[in-house]
């Protein structure tokens, strides 16, 4: 086990870097990277089939971009581990492969154009994300320019000026408190690198965005948290609620990992910004031991766990794991495995697909009376909170109240 001396970890020294290093995460604690790579839906399926509560399945690439482009130390193409259907394993993105995954804006132009053509991958400028998020807040608060004021410079550049001081909430409205804002559910569909949720950098220019100017939906929640809490204990509790009420899904595994990493670094950054004093130029001042105050190791591991649940891999049109309808099989009367024809795919319907329906987590759902675990389930993992995302559109899932106490699993 590495030393607890935070100054020895590059994850904190490079916390503001646009290109997050999977190697830095691994060096800090392998558990963090392992949790960021989990596919909870497929893990749940694998556990039921194997009746093994410890079985884990990772998200998969869901893109062919890496099949012929990853080279070994001798310059030979490596395909195994980087094919479309391969799971993303830590060894695929660390060590000699530490630079395999990077934000879209840092890829070469040919790769960007290929992704746009093949996957309709188009990223949104931060000023557009900001304008749209501002509309959401205008509706919620009943007034404009709550978090920032949008401006257009003389050269035509769109930007914004953050509001000064503490965000004011409507008086005498129990449904419009700061805690209600933090625990309001939000979802970014087809999230890519999640620019609507967290805005560590502009996904179209690669320009870093200082924490004071961030405009993501989760950034806004965390600004509110930092403005209202004082102790670390309260910060941990409210930050956890903010993250557990923030969701997103994405098809491609590399984008999904980048989004998950961006949320994890955001968690760390807001803690650092809250609990470290700054000089007149806004630079953090090191403590008496010569290092920054950062979240505890267990809190960071837990955060990676929530994030891996709340940002998941899904075909948004079918609400199943990508391509899983083409891989659906069942046992016939003769004990033979036969391919299942997906009628919903054939008829172009949104519901009733034969693929693996994606699970999300209602972190506040209470255990029903008479609940019994299924083969392969770990009752300590609160499996009663796992629900099919598709059920949210079928009226089968009732809203649950947020609770003050909500511990997480390691």
């Amino acid at each position: 086990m590495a030393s607890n001396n935070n100054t020895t970890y590059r994850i904190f020294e490079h916390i503001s870097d646009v290109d997050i290093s999977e190697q830095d995460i691994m060096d800090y604690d392998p558990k963090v990277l392992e949790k960021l790579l989990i596919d909870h839906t497929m893990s749940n399926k694998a556990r039921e089939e194997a009746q093994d509560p410890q079985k884990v399945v990772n998200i998969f690439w869901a893109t062919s971009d890496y099949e012929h482009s990853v080279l070994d130390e001798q310059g030979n193409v490596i395909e195994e581990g980087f094919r479309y259907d391969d799971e993303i394993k830590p060894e695929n993105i660390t060590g000699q492969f530490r630079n395999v995954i990077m934000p879209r804006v840092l890829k070469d132009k040919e790769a960007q154009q290929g992704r746009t053509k093949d996957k309709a991958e188009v990223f949104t400028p931060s000023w557009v994300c900001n304008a749209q998020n501002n509309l959401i807040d205008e509706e919620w608060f009943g007034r404009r320019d709550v978090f920032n004021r949008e401006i257009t410079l003389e050269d035509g550049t769109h930007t914004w000026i953050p509001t000064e001081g503490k965000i004011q909430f409507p008086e005498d409205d129990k449904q419009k408190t700061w805690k209600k804002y933090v625990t309001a559910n939000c979802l970014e569909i087809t999230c890519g690198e999640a620019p609507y949720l967290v805005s560590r950098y502009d996904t179209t220019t690669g320009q870093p965005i200082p924490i004071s100017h961030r405009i993501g939906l989760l950034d806004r929640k965390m600004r509110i948290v930092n403005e209202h809490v004082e102790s670390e204990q309260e910060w941990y509790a409210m930050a956890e609620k903010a993250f557990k009420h923030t969701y997103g899904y994405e098809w491609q595994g590399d984008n999904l990992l980048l989004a998950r990493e961006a949320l994890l670094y955001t968690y760390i950054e807001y803690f650092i910004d809250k609990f470290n004093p700054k000089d007149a130029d806004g630079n953090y001042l090191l403590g008496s031991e010569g290092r920054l105050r950062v979240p505890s190791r267990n809190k960071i591991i837990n955060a990676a766990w929530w994030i891996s649940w709340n940002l998941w891999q899904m075909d948004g049109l079918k609400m199943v794991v990508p391509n899983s309808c083409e891989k659906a099989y069942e046992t016939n009367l003769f004990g033979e495995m036969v391919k299942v024809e997906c009628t919903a795919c054939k008829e172009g319907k949104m519901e009733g697909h034969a693929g693996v329906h994606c699970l999300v987590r209602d972190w506040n759902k209470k255990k029903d009376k008479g609940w019994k675990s299924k083969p392969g389930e770990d009752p300590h993992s609160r499996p009663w909170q796992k629900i099919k995302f598709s059920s949210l559109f079928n009226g089968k899932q009732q809203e649950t109240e947020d609770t003050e106490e909500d511990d997480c699993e390691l």
Side-chain angles (χ1 to χ4, degrees):
M1 179 65 67
S3 167
N4 285 325
N5 185 340
N6 296 326
T7 60
T8 64
Y9 296 115
R10 291 189 304 272
I11 188 174
F12 304 124
E13 295 173 357
H14 300 286
I15 193 66
S16 298
D17 287 359
V18 170
D19 188 8
I20 291 173
S21 168
E22 290 78 29
Q23 186 66 55
D24 286 357
I25 297 174
M26 171 69 84
D27 291 343
Y28 173 68
D29 197 311
K31 291 179 183 177
V32 178
L33 186 57
E34 289 168 4
K35 293 187 183 301
L36 289 176
L37 289 170
I38 291 176
D39 185 316
H40 292 284
T41 298
M42 294 305 296
S43 293
N44 188 75
K45 181 176 184 295
R47 288 167 183 169
E48 288 183 356
E49 293 175 347
Q51 297 190 20
D52 177 4
Q54 304 304 316
K55 199 161 184 64
V56 172
V57 177
N58 287 357
I59 58 177
F60 71 106
W61 292 102
T63 174
S64 299
D65 289 354
Y66 301 92
E67 289 186 14
H68 308 293
S69 60
V70 179
L71 307 178
D72 63 17
E73 294 176 343
Q74 287 72 45
N76 302 312
V77 173
I78 301 177
E79 293 191 7
E80 185 174 355
F82 299 94
R83 294 167 299 206
Y84 188 99
D85 291 321
D86 288 338
E87 294 179 45
I88 305 178
K89 300 290 185 67
E91 57 266 28
N92 300 139
I93 52 177
T94 58
Q96 63 176 314
F97 306 120
R98 66 179 65 196
N99 295 319
V100 166
I101 292 182
M102 62 179 64
R104 179 181 185 271
V105 70
L106 300 182
K107 295 184 174 84
D108 62 53
K109 294 299 181 182
E110 183 178 352
Q112 292 184 34
Q113 293 170 359
R115 302 264 292 209
T116 300
K117 180 179 179 180
D118 297 338
K119 312 293 188 311
E121 182 183 77
V122 179
F123 282 22
T124 310
S126 292
W127 72 268
V128 175
C129 296
N130 180 52
Q132 293 177 314
N133 286 349
N134 280 350
L135 291 175
I136 296 173
D137 281 325
E138 183 178 342
E139 178 68 22
W140 200 92
F141 282 88
R143 68 177 191 272
R144 297 184 48 142
D145 303 336
V146 177
F147 287 88
N148 60 69
R149 179 169 56 87
E150 301 164 46
I151 61 172
T152 303
L153 303 179
E154 291 183 359
D155 63 359
T157 301
H158 298 277
T159 185
W160 59 90
I161 300 175
T163 54
E164 296 183 1
K166 198 172 183 178
I167 301 298
Q168 299 301 309
F169 284 80
E171 296 181 1
D172 303 322
D173 188 342
K174 294 182 178 180
Q175 299 305 312
K176 299 291 184 180
T177 66
W178 73 270
K179 288 187 177 181
K180 289 289 186 181
Y181 184 87
V182 168
T183 58
N185 286 326
C186 60
L187 165 71
E188 182 177 357
I189 64 172
T190 58
C191 67
E193 297 172 19
Y196 283 91
L197 300 183
V198 292
S199 55
R200 299 182 64 254
Y201 56 90
D202 189 307
T203 57
T204 60
T205 66
Q207 189 69 28
I209 299 176
I211 200 167
S212 61
H213 284 63
R214 294 188 185 174
I215 51 81
L217 296 173
L218 183 55
D219 289 313
R220 296 169 190 234
K221 291 186 179 191
M222 291 308 300
R223 172 177 172 176
I224 296 299
V225 169
N226 279 14
E227 288 179 349
H228 284 83
V229 306
E230 294 302 327
S231 68
E232 284 192 21
Q233 182 179 4
E234 188 179 7
W235 189 94
Y236 283 134
M238 292 310 301
E240 179 176 338
K241 290 181 183 295
F243 275 74
K244 285 185 173 180
H245 287 274
T246 303
Y247 297 85
Y249 66 81
E250 165 63 17
W251 176 294
Q252 296 176 170
D254 54 350
N255 281 346
L256 179 60
L257 178 59
L258 288 169
R260 289 176 172 183
E261 291 173 343
L263 263 69
L264 179 67
Y265 271 47
T266 294
Y267 178 83
I268 298 171
E269 286 179 284
Y270 276 93
F271 182 98
I272 290 174
D273 195 63
K274 174 64 180 177
F275 295 108
N276 289 276
K278 307 179 188 70
D279 62 20
D281 296 322
N283 300 309
Y284 295 118
L285 300 174
L286 300 182
S288 57
E289 297 181 357
R291 62 180 187 235
L292 292 173
R293 289 175 68 183
V294 298
S296 70
R297 183 184 301 273
N298 280 346
K299 294 299 185 181
I300 291 176
I301 294 172
N302 280 340
W305 180 255
W306 319 322
I307 292 165
S308 66
W309 263 107
N310 280 28
L311 270 68
W312 70 97
Q313 192 163 24
M314 185 172 78
D315 178 337
L317 296 178
K318 302 176 182 179
M319 292 179 284
V320 299
V321 173
N323 303 125
S324 59
C325 288
E326 290 79 7
K327 303 171 187 174
Y329 287 83
E330 64 183 5
T331 305
N332 65 14
L333 295 175
F334 303 101
E336 302 169 329
M337 296 296 292
V338 294
K339 191 175 186 306
V340 176
E341 181 181 20
C342 182
T343 305
C345 284
K346 187 176 181 180
E347 297 178 357
K349 294 182 178 179
M350 187 174 182
E351 299 180 357
H353 285 272
V356 183
H357 286 252
C358 290
L359 299 177
V360 291
R361 193 152 192 158
D362 182 345
W363 296 97
N364 303 304
K365 191 176 190 317
K366 303 299 183 182
K367 181 169 61 174
D368 295 331
K369 291 183 179 180
W371 179 89
K372 294 182 180 180
S373 61
K374 298 177 182 178
E377 284 184 335
D378 177 6
H380 297 293
S381 70
R382 300 183 179 183
W384 57 86
Q385 294 180 339
K386 303 171 187 178
I387 60 176
K388 289 184 178 179
F389 180 73
S390 57
S391 71
L392 300 175
F393 293 85
N394 299 331
K396 298 178 182 178
Q397 185 62 29
Q398 295 182 349
E399 185 175 345
T400 58
E401 290 188 11
D402 190 40
T403 56
E404 289 301 318
E405 298 296 330
D406 191 10
D407 55 349
C408 57
E409 60 184 287
L410 278 173

